[in-house]
Amino acid sequence: MAVLNATHDPGLRSWVSTANLPDADFPIQNLPFAVFRRTGSGESFRGGVAIGDCVLDLGALHGLDPFRGSAAPALGACAAPRLNAFMALGEEAAGALRAALSQALRADSPDAQHLRSLLVPQHAVEYRVAADVGDYTDFYTSIHHALAVGRLFRPDNPLLPNYKWVPIAYHGRASSIRPSGQEFARPVGQVFPPAATAPQLAATRRLDYELEVGVFIGRGTELGTRVPLAAAESHVFGLCLLNDWSARDVQSWEYQPLGPFLSKNFATTVSPWVVTLEALAPFRAPWSRPAGEPAPLPYLDDAALRAGGAIDLNLEVWLDTARMRAAGVPPARMSHSNFRDSWWSVAQMVAHHTLGGCNLRAGDLFGSGTQSGPAADQAGSLLELSAGGQRPVRLPGGEQRTFLEDGDRVRLRGWCERPGYVRIGLGECVATVLPASALPDAAT
Ligand code: CA
């Protein structure tokens, strides 16, 4: 588990003045990584680090060869068009680069003058997904979400007996993961409405978002090797926000017996910035189980997990509709939750994923599963907020929603704060629903 060091010092200030604003997502204590280029420029994508409202161009910085020691090859890996090689170097190399960048960006840095030309305003860049994601696994770690959804799908048996013992997941689709800013068409699928007598082909009428935390794997593992819980976090590069778009009517018809397929594989949106576990070190929280609940099996339990295995990460969903935007109505906050309430931790996800010898590769992505909290306004999906479409949610401006409509824009936000430390944010994960394409022609 990452420990506190000089890069977390709450007294640090940057020569990039916007990094010093009290509500900034990207103060000098954060230093998350992304892959970017100037919008519409045709430039090569390369790594960047966020500072205030700017990106420090790590490709250009590498050209200056400013660092010594293990920070130098780490910076070189960040000049590539994806960060897989950087992530593969592991936490020590990422930590060395973080320390060097922290030195270079602090207010009293002698490098400030010649590094200023390497800053690009974030409003003038476009992103791609930080890594080439080889495999994407979506977990189901919020028991509050599992219970709420279980009650809708199986009222007589909401929580299956394995839930409290096994970190449940399915293998998702990596090819349709896109960075924030994505616009995607409402998917078409096979549905079987309750009143129908046969399945139908239709554009989904129950399109939903899922508020999730994304976990990028850093140093990979060998096939046949299991990662013990104590070493699990050394294989994690960092966290982002993730929206696992879901077509609920397709899902309810297709999901048994092997889990979701077309209901989930048409789009997944991630925030561009990946916040390292090291940056999150001040915001760790004890991991526990409520009294009376079973302890995990021993391979998923240890003292370090109990002391600080959870992460106190605030999460929010915001929605605005086409009509709200046209009328100048600001986005509505749909819900808020905290990753601290997750039934399973990041380390438990890694340890369980590799239990049978499955290897992980740098840049692999985990989704945490929808992060819902215990209260009704902490539900991380419309399925829960609208009680399966039975209870419309009222929006400012007079509209209401059970599920998403064309033109709806969903924005996820995440941040950590704790007295005595500087607040850090994960930025935003935004995407917009477009109308469905035409249904395939009937056979003639
Ligand atoms: Ca999910």
Side-chain angles (χ1 to χ4, degrees), residues 138-139 170 210 212 244 246 264 369-370:
D138 197 23
F139 283 83
Y170 66 95
E210 289 193 337
E212 301 199 18
D244 175 27
S246 302
K264 302 274 194 176
T370 308

Side-chain angles (χ1 to χ4, degrees), residues 19-44:
N20 305 325
L21 298 171
D23 58 348
D25 271 352
F26 306 122
I28 192 170
Q29 289 83 359
N30 193 348
L31 303 179
F33 295 91
V35 164
F36 82 102
R37 67 180 177 187
R38 287 179 179 80
T39 305
S41 66
E43 295 171 349
S44 299

